[in-house]
Amino acid sequence: MERVALLRYGEIHLKGLNRPYFERALYNNIVKALEPYEGVTVRKAEGRYYVENIGDDPRVFDSIAKVFGIISFSPALKVEKDVVAIQKAAEVLLREAMEAQAASQKETFTFKVESRRSDKSFYLNSMELSRKVGGYLLRRIPNLKVDVHNPMMTVNVEVREWAYVYCQIIPGAGGMPVGTNGKAVLLLSGGIDSPVAGWMIAKRGVEVTAVHYHSFPYTSERSKEKVIDLCRILSQYCGEIKLHVVPFTKIQQELYQKCPHNMLTILMRRFMMRIAEVVAHKEDAKALVTGESLGQVASQTIESLCATNDAVSMPVFRPLIGMDKIEIMDLARRIGTYETSILPYEDCCTIFVPKHPVTRPKLEKVREAEKLVEGEKLIEEAVANIEVLNIKG
């Protein structure tokens, strides 16, 4: 009797002739996620992935839950394809489940058994196996009652190359395996929105590399460390993230001194996009990703977004575009970035902010204002002094 995890995937089943490519990518991502756990192995068979030699470390399941491409998984007992072995495994798991629910347990604990026989050579069919296991459990455990419609616990049995018995089906991260849909550059601030946008684009299989704009001494080293911490959290889902820290102080100072103040936010965003595009070309990334949500602030009106897009030629993805702030905050809490994002360390977007920013900028006027500074020279200097960090969870 061995404790394992049974992993299921979803969208990959629809990939036709390309399915082996996605399956290999998912396998590799699972292996990478479990590298910290000595002795743990991953095996694929019959449309499932199996994580074996997991021991008693609950962090294994936390890591599995963060692998994009896995729709659900189950801690299971792996036993011989023998009715007695299956019955004993079911008893172990059901007793554990009852003990875990002891605080809310009623006098009678209800259950049902569901069996699935992928190995058609097994001598009992699914209904017969369920009856055998259910009858055994009723004889062995007091205060049990069968409820096929609304049980407190379902004991699942799958007969494959081995027999697997489990009581939990835990939701996974879903989506597609990271790396199967190209690479994109995430403009990562220290706020709430951009880490969530990075998580959402990675969920669709995109490899993420990040760009952060640091305005020392106006922003402290703590603000930079905050962004590094956000990358660490994201890397638990996305794998290792290359973070490009861009010195942005000189650009902001030049814009502040020479350009109309009501356009500062738009102009800064345009410079950020142009620098991110340079990084994207160096990293062979095909798109930029931002955390912008339509109408949330002055720089996120349709007119402002159009003015920002005009600065670059590659696609700009905005996964949060139709979400409101409450939805974004809820998702940030779920993925674990919220508490870090709200730490009170300013980023470059919170300095040199005009009191009355333009909300519906005219593109021609924005372009004219941009000519008041030596844009290409400023960008070249910033790019030449980028600090590159490789961040792991």
Side-chain angles (χ1 to χ4, degrees):
M1 193 180 295
E2 178 187 351
R3 292 191 182 270
V4 301
L6 187 156
L7 282 54
R8 308 171 189 86
Y9 53 88
E11 279 187 73
I12 293 176
H13 286 295
L14 307 176
K15 293 301 177 182
L17 296 176
N18 292 323
R19 181 170 159 181
Y21 165 74
F22 289 90
E23 290 178 334
R24 285 194 299 272
L26 179 55
Y27 173 85
N28 291 334
N29 290 350
I30 296 168
V31 170
K32 287 180 182 177
L34 298 178
E35 277 179 353
Y37 309 106
E38 187 175 354
V40 172
T41 59
V42 182
R43 177 174 60 88
K44 182 184 178 300
E46 297 182 358
R48 295 276 194 272
Y49 292 92
Y50 301 94
V51 179
E52 300 175 328
N53 304 315
I54 60 177
D56 298 321
D57 193 337
R59 295 178 301 168
V60 172
F61 300 121
D62 292 336
S63 296
I64 292 171
K66 293 174 181 174
V67 177
F68 289 125
I70 298 298
I71 60 168
S72 67
F73 63 96
S74 297
L77 288 177
K78 170 185 169 184
V79 296
E80 297 285 346
K81 290 186 287 187
D82 171 78
V83 172
V84 174
I86 293 170
Q87 290 171 331
K88 290 181 177 179
E91 181 182 357
V92 169
L93 290 179
L94 190 55
R95 287 186 182 276
E96 289 178 354
M98 292 174 69
E99 183 177 346
Q101 296 188 20
S104 60
Q105 184 178 342
K106 300 176 183 178
E107 184 177 346
T108 300
F109 192 94
T110 60
F111 81 107
K112 71 174 179 179
V113 179
E114 289 189 352
S115 300
R116 184 175 179 180
R117 186 185 59 151
S118 297
D119 180 3
K120 302 304 181 184
S121 66
F122 189 70
Y123 70 99
L124 295 176
N125 64 32
S126 297
M127 291 294 293
E128 291 168 339
L129 180 57
S130 292
R131 285 196 294 267
K132 288 274 188 181
V133 175
Y136 174 85
L137 294 173
L138 286 169
R139 293 192 300 272
R140 292 284 299 176
I141 303 176
N143 299 325
L144 272 186
K145 182 181 178 181
V146 174
D147 183 344
V148 297
H149 300 295
N150 189 30
M152 297 170 67
M153 185 62 61
T154 299
V155 178
N156 296 274
V157 180
E158 292 191 14
V159 180
R160 297 176 176 270
E161 76 284 10
W162 293 82
Y164 298 90
V165 185
Y166 57 91
C167 292
Q168 292 177 278
I169 299 178
I170 302 170
M176 299 295 296
V178 171
T180 57
N181 275 325
K183 183 191 288 189
V185 170
L186 170 68
L187 281 73
L188 182 64
S189 73
I192 295 170
D193 301 342
S194 56
V196 176
W199 183 90
M200 290 182 69
I201 204 70
K203 185 177 180 179
R204 298 312 306 155
V206 177
E207 181 184 349
V208 174
T209 188
V211 173
H212 175 67
Y213 301 91
H214 188 53
S215 297
F216 184 82
Y218 300 103
T219 54
S220 67
E221 281 299 308
R222 286 187 173 182
S223 70
K224 177 179 163 183
E225 287 298 322
K226 173 182 172 180
V227 171
I228 292 172
D229 288 341
L230 287 170
C231 276
R232 288 196 182 100
I233 297 168
L234 286 178
S235 70
Q236 296 172 20
Y237 300 91
C238 309
E240 183 175 326
I241 295 176
K242 184 182 286 188
L243 173 63
H244 301 76
V245 182
V246 180
F248 203 58
T249 308
K250 187 171 181 179
I251 291 174
Q252 288 182 294
Q253 289 173 333
E254 287 283 304
L255 292 173
Y256 186 80
Q257 292 168 8
K258 298 178 181 179
C259 298
H261 282 199
N262 67 338
M263 290 189 184
L264 284 179
T265 303
I266 293 296
L267 293 173
M268 284 190 292
R269 293 295 296 175
R270 284 173 63 90
F271 272 87
M272 288 177 179
M273 298 293 275
R274 290 165 68 184
I275 292 170
E277 188 174 45
V278 173
V279 173
H281 287 309
K282 289 184 177 182
E283 293 292 324
D284 195 28
K286 305 303 182 186
L288 307 180
V289 181
T290 77
E292 292 161 312
S293 171
L294 188 60
Q296 190 179 113
V297 294
S299 64
Q300 295 175 20
T301 63
I302 286 181
E303 292 85 353
S304 295
L305 295 178
C306 288
T308 302
N309 281 7
D310 176 71
V312 295
S313 59
M314 64 172 43
V316 181
F317 297 151
R318 295 179 170 93
L320 312 184
I321 196 69
M323 298 175 68
D324 64 36
K325 195 66 176 184
I326 299 300
E327 292 172 312
I328 298 168
M329 290 166 62
D330 287 344
L331 187 48
R333 290 186 183 96
R334 182 160 73 85
I335 67 177
T337 57
Y338 179 79
E339 294 300 327
T340 301
S341 291
I342 62 173
L343 292 174
Y345 306 131
E346 292 184 328
D347 60 38
C348 71
C349 296
T350 60
I351 59 176
F352 299 112
V353 176
K355 290 183 178 180
H356 303 290
V358 61
T359 58
R360 290 179 169 79
K362 301 294 184 184
L363 185 55
E364 297 78 12
K365 291 186 177 180
V366 173
R367 289 173 176 169
E368 286 299 316
E370 203 170 54
K371 292 178 182 178
L372 297 173
V373 297
E374 297 182 76
E376 293 302 321
K377 182 179 178 182
L378 289 169
I379 289 171
E380 287 178 11
E381 185 177 342
V383 169
N385 289 284
I386 286 176
E387 178 187 7
V388 179
L389 305 170
N390 293 304
I391 311 298
K392 293 182 179 180

